Amino acid sequence: MSDHTIRAEAPGDEAAIYNLIAQAFAPMPFADGDEQELVNRLRADGDLALSLVAVDAGGVIVGHVGFSPATIDHAACGWFQMAPVSVCPPRQLQGIGSALIEAGLRHLREQGASGVAVVGNPAYYERFGFTVIDGLAPASEHDQPYFRAQAFDRSAPAGTLRYAPAFG
Ligand SMILES: CC(C)(COP(=O)(O)OP(=O)(O)OC[C@H]1O[C@@H](n2cnc3c(N)ncnc32)[C@H](O)[C@@H]1OP(=O)(O)O)[C@@H](O)C(=O)NCCC(=O)NCCS
């Protein structure tokens, strides 16, 4: 489907993004109900490094992806965490989530980022190049089975990847 465009979050989008994330995660059994608050906390902390929205032909925001800085062994090294990814339920499975993720990864790569990590269903995220990187692990053991990453450069990142403080 190509009846949507992707653009950076603009002032005034905040409430629509908040509502969209709440709507997208509400039916998900793994959701903790905090996903929409997370984006507000990241924004308030100045850690919403990249925030993209998908907008339909009528100008309605139907998808969102956020990226925030991550550290490896407490060092800021150009890594980002991709979370959350949300598409409004009636528009899911139409390629919007994929388009948002690909646009975000492309932008970060072009900006010289070192890599991106994600916690989620590997069956979905591995198609975008996320994989298990030996030696790179999340701080939380709980995240471990769902933790995937991709390096944009030839470095072999190793250590403990930590998310921005807003993740708690
Ligand atoms: C997950 C989400 C962002 C995907 O966006 P989308 O626009 O619906 O997905 P796309 O159209 O880009 O991709 C569709 C493909 O992804 C698969 N897919 C979608 N969501 C998936 C999920 N949660 N787990 C595994 N596969 C998934 C579909 O089966 C489909 O596979 P196919 O191409 O082999 O047919 C969206 O469904 C959503 O907002 N879900 C609720 C919130 C959520 O779970 N966010 C991610 C948390 S980690």
Side-chain angles (χ1 to χ4, degrees):
M1 298 278 286
S2 59
D3 64 339
H4 66 269
T5 53
I6 293 187
R7 62 166 174 78
E9 171 187 321
D13 287 341
E14 297 86 349
I17 292 171
Y18 183 94
N19 292 330
L20 163 73
I21 297 171
Q23 228 191 324
F25 278 89
M28 307 310 288
F30 57 80
D32 56 16
D34 187 53
E35 289 80 8
Q36 63 276 21
E37 307 293 345
L38 167 65
V39 169
N40 279 356
R41 286 197 301 272
L42 286 168
R43 194 185 290 111
D45 290 350
D47 279 338
L48 194 53
L50 179 62
S51 179
L52 298 179
V53 292
V55 181
D56 74 9
V60 176
I61 291 178
V62 293
H64 173 264
V65 63
F67 295 83
S68 53
T71 59
I72 298 178
D73 287 348
H74 298 291
C77 44
W79 273 75
F80 292 85
Q81 177 73 4
M82 183 174 81
V85 191
S86 319
V87 173
C88 72
R91 297 301 309 271
Q92 289 176 5
L93 307 183
Q94 297 171 19
I96 295 173
S98 298
L100 282 161
I101 293 166
E102 283 163 5
L105 295 175
R106 190 165 56 244
H107 178 85
L108 289 173
R109 185 191 287 269
E110 287 169 2
Q111 294 299 308
S114 302
V116 176
V118 68
V119 175
N121 189 331
Y124 185 56
Y125 291 111
E126 286 179 353
R127 69 182 66 191
F128 305 105
F130 290 98
T131 185
V132 172
I133 296 183
D134 288 338
L136 185 67
S140 155
E141 264 182 41
H142 174 262
D143 287 350
Q144 181 77 54
Y146 312 102
F147 179 81
R148 297 292 184 275
Q150 62 176 299
F152 290 153
D153 53 25
R154 290 179 161 275
S155 64
T160 301
L161 187 140
R162 289 185 173 81
Y163 322 133
F167 283 84

